[in-house]
Amino acid sequence: MSEESSGSGLKNAIIGLVTIIVTAGAGVVGKMIMGGDEAPAAVAAPAPIINLNVENNNTVKGGSGGESAAPAPVAKPVPKKDDWTKAEPKW
């Protein structure tokens, strides 16, 4: 087994080198056959349209200076307890 491993590393390196050369050659030949030297014309994209006509409708109604225009919080009414809620269950 030691005789096989000493030559197999060199053999794999040569096979890898030949594979790379064949692949590169096929790429060059394919490019020549299909006419890959022509560069596609670059088309510039049109500039985006930006609308800057924005109206500012944030107006303060009433109030003076530091007061806010928000209404004051309203207290929630307390629900009334009826007699039946105070009674003990009869079971």
Side-chain angles (χ1 to χ4, degrees):
M1 200 153 99
S2 63
E3 294 175 15
E4 279 185 356
S5 64
S6 64
S8 68
L10 180 62
K11 179 179 164 185
N12 286 339
I14 292 173
I15 290 173
L17 182 63
V18 169
T19 304
I20 290 173
I21 292 172
V22 169
T23 304
V28 169
V29 170
K31 193 172 186 180
M32 288 173 39
I33 291 174
M34 294 184 183
D37 292 337
E38 302 170 13
V43 177
I49 298 171
I50 300 173
N51 186 7
L52 296 177
N53 297 330
V54 178
E55 295 181 18
N56 186 2
N57 292 330
N58 296 332
T59 57
V60 177
K61 298 179 182 177
S64 62
E67 294 180 20
S68 67
V74 179
K76 295 181 181 178
V78 178
K80 295 180 182 179
K81 290 189 176 182
D82 294 332
D83 291 334
W84 65 270
T85 59
K86 295 177 186 175
E88 292 290 323
K90 296 181 181 180
W91 51 54

